Amino acid sequence: MAKDIDKLHGLVVITGASSGIGQELAKLAAKDGCDLILAADRDMGETEAIVKQHGAASIATVMGDLATRDGIMALMTEIGDRPVDFLLANAGHGLGHAFLDQEWKDIAHVIHTNITGTTALIYYIGKRMRERDAGRILVTGSIAGHLPGAYQLVYNSTKAYIDDFCFGLRNELKDTNVTISCLMPGVTDTQFFDRANMEDTGAGQSDSKADPAKVAKDGYEALLEGDAHVVSGFMNKVQDMFANVIPDTMLAEMHRKMAKPKKEHAD
């Protein structure tokens, strides 16, 4: 069982760091005085300025698309031979509307960002951690992974993979000093809905979105404590619990009402 630690230290790699949960995770690591490598497919000027103010020991940024081999290799090149003490694999995005109405290139990009890129980084960095018998990984999954995601189908399905992957890898590493923790947020107040073209949905217009700072803090604490996972937010815990007992057909219908664009609602 992983021991509790008081704070992060050494080299911390954070993906999806340009905004939202990733930016909040970067703030927390900066306050601990870590060396940071921040990666995202969007400008990170704001995040870089914020973490400087919060006391990061050093900061490097890699702007690249982690859905691509070039983006992954750019990040690994920046890391070089340095041992990564903590990987916070937060990069990911969604895609709204009905599956068969989406463009394949957009579907593929979600899959390659959420699954391929995340899995590749965990492989490359996790392998080094196992060789050193030291290191911790936090992956941003989602309670959406437990819900058949009508009108957000590809995203939910990729998060189902991520959630299960974390638990399986944790088991494989149980006899080492390397731990993997899964952060499972629900609907959070980030740029997610704008990027996924889901602003005209019940979820996108919800007034009860979680604060990304609170979600990041929950994940950060799970990482410090070496927990297997954390569902952020009381109501999300309730929803996640019921997802295990409600029939999948009913869950899909519930998700449809939450994720289908309002202008398309005729049912």
Side-chain angles (χ1 to χ4, degrees):
M1 181 178 294
K3 297 179 180 178
D4 291 4
I5 56 177
D6 294 330
K7 65 178 185 176
L8 268 59
H9 59 270
L11 180 60
V12 179
V13 175
I14 305 175
T15 67
S18 60
S19 63
I21 297 170
Q23 186 179 88
E24 296 297 336
L25 288 169
K27 288 182 189 178
L28 293 169
K31 289 177 182 177
D32 279 346
C34 299
D35 296 302
L36 300 180
I37 297 179
L38 308 176
D41 63 356
R42 299 188 174 195
D43 182 75
M44 287 174 284
E46 180 183 67
T47 301
E48 188 172 7
I50 289 171
V51 296
K52 283 180 180 177
Q53 295 173 357
H54 282 78
S58 68
I59 307 162
T61 60
V62 177
M63 188 172 175
D65 187 351
L66 296 178
T68 67
R69 176 175 174 78
D70 286 348
I72 294 166
M73 289 300 103
L75 177 53
M76 293 307 301
T77 298
E78 179 62 40
I79 293 169
D81 295 331
R82 288 176 289 174
V84 176
D85 296 288
F86 299 89
L87 168 63
L88 281 59
N90 172 74
H93 69 97
L95 184 62
H97 294 274
F99 173 70
L100 295 178
D101 293 334
Q102 296 164 348
E103 296 294 329
W104 173 250
K105 64 180 179 60
D106 298 327
I107 292 169
H109 195 269
V110 172
I111 294 170
H112 289 312
T113 302
N114 297 2
I115 292 181
T116 310
T118 299
T119 306
L121 288 177
I122 293 172
Y123 176 79
Y124 291 128
I125 295 174
K127 199 165 189 177
R128 294 183 184 182
M129 288 179 172
R130 189 182 64 174
E131 289 171 357
R132 292 167 39 230
D133 196 28
R136 298 193 182 201
I137 300 171
L138 176 69
V139 185
T140 302
S142 176
I143 64 168
H146 298 165
L147 303 171
Y151 289 88
Q152 197 182 3
L153 184 58
V154 177
Y155 174 79
N156 287 37
S157 299
T158 61
K159 289 303 182 178
Y161 168 90
I162 289 296
D163 294 348
D164 286 349
F165 178 87
C166 289
F167 282 104
L169 182 57
R170 183 181 175 90
N171 180 268
E172 291 184 6
L173 295 170
K174 70 178 185 177
D175 295 324
T176 75
N177 288 311
V178 179
T179 66
I180 182 163
S181 304
C182 186
L183 169 60
M184 297 181 181
V187 177
T188 306
D189 190 12
T190 68
Q191 296 177 10
F192 176 92
F193 296 97
D194 176 48
R195 185 168 185 179
N197 194 20
M198 291 183 66
E199 290 186 309
D200 182 30
T201 64
Q205 295 179 2
S206 171
D207 293 327
S208 58
K209 295 187 184 77
D211 180 354
K214 173 63 168 59
V215 173
K217 186 173 185 294
D218 288 341
Y220 205 79
E221 289 177 352
L223 183 64
L224 292 172
E225 294 168 9
D227 292 339
H229 78 290
V230 59
V231 176
S232 180
F234 174 75
M235 290 308 298
N236 290 329
K237 288 181 171 67
V238 172
Q239 183 177 0
D240 189 58
M241 179 181 67
F242 279 106
N244 293 319
V245 296
I246 297 174
D248 285 345
T249 52
M250 188 177 296
L251 289 172
E253 185 63 27
M254 293 167 61
H255 197 281
R256 175 192 186 96
K257 296 183 186 306
M258 180 175 65
K260 186 175 181 180
K262 291 186 176 182
K263 63 184 178 182
E264 296 180 15
H265 270 294
D267 49 357

